[in-house]
Amino acid sequence: MLGMATSFAESTLAQLYKTKDDDGNYRGGPAYYMEKGLGMRWMGVLFSIFLIIAFGLVFNAVQANAIANAMNTAFGFDPMIVGVVIVLISAFVIFGGVRKIARTAELIVPVMALAYLVLAFVVMFMNIEKVPDVIAYIFKSAFGFQEAAAGGLGYAIAQAMIQGIKRGLFSNEAGMGSAPNAAASATPYPPHPASQGYVQMLGVFTDTIVICTATVAIILMSGEYVPHSEITGIELTQRALSSQVGEWGGIFVAVAIFFFAFTSIIANYSYAETNLIFLEHNHKAGLGLFRVIVLGMVMFGSVATLPMVWALADVSMGLMAIVNLIAIILLSGIVIKLAKDYNQQLKAGKVPTFDANDYPELKSQLEEGIWYDEKDTANK
């Protein structure tokens, strides 16, 4: 619920304060609403630096790590070779060479996600008698009921919350300020900033409640999960699914992870690119060098150990979220106004449409030609 609320706020603000780059593409995100909405470019610069480190570098290493581990478990491929392949494919896309790869992945990922959910439901029905025990186990672990008798209740709850928040934040990115960079590039319908906010809320729900719950159901019902075991992450999911549906289950997960993680690498790069352009006042100098560094981190992630990669991810996530959440709180009044405007128009049976003339206090902060046109305003 908290993630959905913060996602609504940051995506609505990203739409409101979006701008255009040299090529006429929409750009926006936390750095832009910090500069335009708060008048604090220094805050936007700080956020951009954290995002470039987190998404351009660290998270791409995390995704490459997931692909390399999945391919090693399913097919026995050497992580070094997998890393080289990922780097080559990623280079084609981010240097603008073979855009069909990105388009193909864009078509395949929804199909893979749907197939994954169907498979998870099949596993659940195969083990329907275990569902009550699995739900009970989750709640006992989350709220520390098992540790209460041993006097470790407070510590257990704290650890459950820390791990849950970190992994939940990684799954849906709500409040971190990453998704708004993509949200700003959309042309929303209805034509109102809040409509994109509602779309992003649905994304958070789907990521965390639907897909992550499906994964944990597969793992816990399989009996493969052993607390404090060295078998974690993608390998654990592959083993769990294979134990339920056969060896092809591990191969299916490896293929799904490849498409999910590869498209995440592309998206992560695009977030970082937007913030690099913000630092350069909407120009594209220095992108070539940055792309090479990004590919280097993809290679590093393919061969690095998972704990090291996750530690880097946790730190960079936290720094981004702190700066972004402060900005969201400071701009929350505007978010509430926009939400009320959208809902009132919807209730009145209208197609919600944003009119900058209704917000004279915001007009000077918005870029002309996006949410308003000075000539049209003069004619009115």
Side-chain angles (χ1 to χ4, degrees), residues 253-301:
V253 172
V255 174
I257 287 297
F258 173 81
F259 285 108
F260 292 153
F262 175 66
T263 49
S264 291
I265 289 172
I266 298 167
N268 292 348
Y269 167 76
S270 72
Y271 298 162
E273 180 183 275
T274 291
N275 283 267
L276 187 63
I277 289 171
F278 170 82
L279 293 177
E280 297 174 343
H281 297 277
N282 273 15
H283 300 298
K284 292 189 172 183
L287 272 183
L289 176 61
F290 178 65
R291 288 167 176 167
V292 172
I293 296 170
V294 168
L295 295 173
M297 284 301 291
V298 169
M299 189 67 226
F300 166 74

Side-chain angles (χ1 to χ4, degrees), residues 82 167 191 231:
V82 174
R167 298 297 165 256
I231 306 300

Side-chain angles (χ1 to χ4, degrees), residues 276-344:
L276 187 63
I277 289 171
F278 170 82
L279 293 177
E280 297 174 343
H281 297 277
N282 273 15
H283 300 298
K284 292 189 172 183
L287 272 183
L289 176 61
F290 178 65
R291 288 167 176 167
V292 172
I293 296 170
V294 168
L295 295 173
M297 284 301 291
V298 169
M299 189 67 226
F300 166 74
S302 302
V303 297
T305 57
L306 194 61
M308 179 195 295
V309 175
W310 272 115
L312 288 170
D314 289 337
V315 172
S316 55
M317 267 196 304
L319 293 171
M320 271 181 63
I322 289 168
V323 177
N324 186 48
L325 290 172
I326 290 171
I328 289 174
I329 291 168
L330 293 174
L331 291 167
S332 58
I334 294 172
V335 176
I336 292 168
K337 284 182 183 178
L338 292 172
K340 284 182 177 177
D341 179 47
Y342 183 94
N343 293 330
Q344 284 170 359

Side-chain angles (χ1 to χ4, degrees), residues 62-71 109 112 116 215 233-235 237-238 250-264:
V62 171
Q63 300 297 352
N65 186 273
I67 295 173
N69 284 343
M71 292 297 170
V109 165
M112 294 299 297
Y116 184 72
T215 301
I234 301 303
E235 185 179 353
T237 307
Q238 288 176 291
I251 295 172
F252 174 82
V253 172
V255 174
I257 287 297
F258 173 81
F259 285 108
F260 292 153
F262 175 66
T263 49
S264 291

